Amino acid sequence: MTKMLIGNLNDIDIKGSRKLRVGNTEIALFRLSSGEVLAVENKCPHKGGVLSEGMVCGSKVHCPLHDWRIDLHSGDVQAPDTGHVTTYEVEIDHTSGSLYLTI
């Protein structure tokens, strides 16, 4: 596992998202209203919708293509749909605001 600096907390608005590429994988970062930052693969398992363009409600993102709901903590697609996206650990240094991603 590798931990890398990916930016600053102030780079992502509350209830906003940001995307970044690590190797061949695009990752979506979401900053929840609680201030927590969560990261998932930026691709819905259904039809490949870009999750960073979806609407966040609580700790779930709604895919912009077909409204599939994905839990940002677990990566699990919510019933009645099924599937899973990869999640990544994000660490916030609350002193500096630095964001670190573990892959």
Side-chain angles (χ1 to χ4, degrees), residues 7-34:
N8 191 281
L9 187 59
N10 294 327
D11 295 339
I12 309 171
D13 295 332
I14 290 183
K15 293 186 169 182
S17 67
R18 180 177 157 216
K19 59 186 176 180
L20 65 117
R21 183 166 291 283
V22 178
N24 292 327
T25 304
E26 190 167 85
I27 297 171
L29 299 165
F30 296 93
R31 186 172 175 193
L32 306 183
S33 55
S34 66

Side-chain angles (χ1 to χ4, degrees), residues 1 11 14 21 25 27 37 42 47 64 73 80 83 92 94-95:
M1 295 181 114
D11 295 339
I14 290 183
R21 183 166 291 283
T25 304
I27 297 171
V37 177
N42 195 24
K47 296 279 185 179
H73 286 104
I92 302 170
H94 290 284
T95 303

